[in-house]
Structures are given as C-alpha cells and as structure tokens.
Amino acid sequence: MASFNAPAGTPHAPAAIGGPPALSLTESLKQLDDIHREKLAVCDQLEAIADSLPSDVNRQRCLYAAKAIAQVVRAAHRFEETTIFPAIASHFPDVPHLESTLRRLQFEHCEDEGFADELSDALHRLAAADPRVHPETIGYMLRGFFTTVRRHIAFEREHLIGAVNGSAQMNP
Ligand SMILES: [Fe+2]
C-alpha cells in the first residue's frame, strides 16, 4: 500500500533532523501531501469499520486495514523523518521553534506506531471473529487512532506546509 519511496524495515529510532536533504523543498512538500492523503484514506477505512460495529463488520475490510496501518504508518513516518523533515529544517534554519516542532512530530510518530501495532492486532482478531474482541473496546481504539492521526496531519499541514508556503510567499 505504501506507494512513496520509503526505506523499508527501518527500526524506529530518532532520526537526525539536521542531515542533508535528499529532496528539494517543493518535492518534499508534494511528497508530504501524498503521504497525508494516503494516511487519511486509511483513517477513512478505520472510521468505516468503527461505524459498522457491532453487527455489520466486513472481515475483508478489517484484514486490509490491519495490513495497511502496519505498512502505511511506519513507511510514512520513516520517510517524513529521514527525507522531508531534514529538507524543511535545511531550508529554514532560522525559523524559531522549528526543530522542537519537528521533534514533537517525531515523538507523536513513535506513539502512533505503538498504537497502530495494537490496533492491527485487534483488527486481525475482529476479522477472525475472535469472541474475546469486544466491539466497544475496538470501537474506542479505532476512533482514538484515526482522530489522533487526523489531528497530527492537520498540525503538519498548518505548521509545516502552511508555514513553508507562507515563508515562500514572503521571500519569493
Ligand atoms: Fe507526521
């Protein structure tokens, strides 16, 4: 599912934000927009599953979503941290609080990946009609996850893409 050119299987460790950028700023923002769209599509799938609980669950959709969140979330985060964040940091070395903002986003990535693993496991069990899975519990997990991811994306769009575009307009 992960369509962008992200490094596969990289263990999660804080990346050095100040490294040399591999993409131009324009390319980086386009890639970030693509990543956001892909993650939002996964969120829509998860919301559809939450809305189908408890009696109208599509098991195939659960399996697809379980695989998608495990792949898309990690690949997106690695790509953001190793390629996009360094490009933004490199182009705007004097923007106040930019580095702390990027570190905050990295921390949120780490939290989201742990949550994504738990949710992926729960979706596999839901697809298998495991009687130990409680619809209320997985509904709570689903809504908590996609709400958090959508909030993270909104923050990145406002504070990274918006700030960069605003700066570019001020300094063409
Ligand atoms: Fe992110």
Side-chain angles (χ1 to χ4, degrees), residues 20-141:
L23 293 177
S24 72
L25 189 60
T26 301
E27 291 168 329
S28 296
L29 294 183
K30 173 67 173 68
Q31 290 277 11
L32 186 58
D33 184 64
D34 290 346
I35 288 171
H36 286 162
R37 291 176 191 278
E38 195 161 19
K39 287 171 74 177
L40 289 171
V42 173
C43 287
D44 290 345
Q45 288 290 319
L46 298 178
E47 185 168 22
I49 293 170
D51 290 344
S52 73
L53 292 166
S55 57
D56 193 28
V57 174
N58 181 321
R59 295 183 183 187
Q60 198 64 35
R61 173 180 271 166
C62 292
L63 289 174
Y64 172 83
K67 184 177 180 182
I69 57 173
Q71 292 181 343
V72 171
V73 169
R74 271 198 165 69
H77 292 170
R78 293 297 76 72
F79 194 73
E80 287 178 38
E81 293 170 12
T82 61
T83 303
I84 295 173
F85 290 179
I88 292 173
S90 174
H91 279 83
F92 300 97
D94 300 323
V95 172
H97 311 301
L98 179 60
E99 184 167 345
S100 62
T101 296
L102 295 176
R103 295 216 175 275
R104 169 197 159 169
L105 292 168
Q106 275 188 268
F107 181 74
E108 290 183 5
H109 289 172
C110 190
E111 289 186 319
D112 289 350
E113 287 174 25
F115 200 178
D117 289 342
E118 291 179 23
L119 188 53
S120 180
D121 182 59
L123 286 169
H124 276 294
R125 285 188 277 121
L126 181 65
D130 186 331
R132 293 170 296 177
V133 174
H134 298 288
E136 285 184 15
T137 301
I138 196 165
Y140 182 80
M141 291 174 70

Side-chain angles (χ1 to χ4, degrees), residues 2-23:
S3 59
F4 41 86
N5 186 22
T10 307
H12 195 176
I17 291 173
L23 293 177

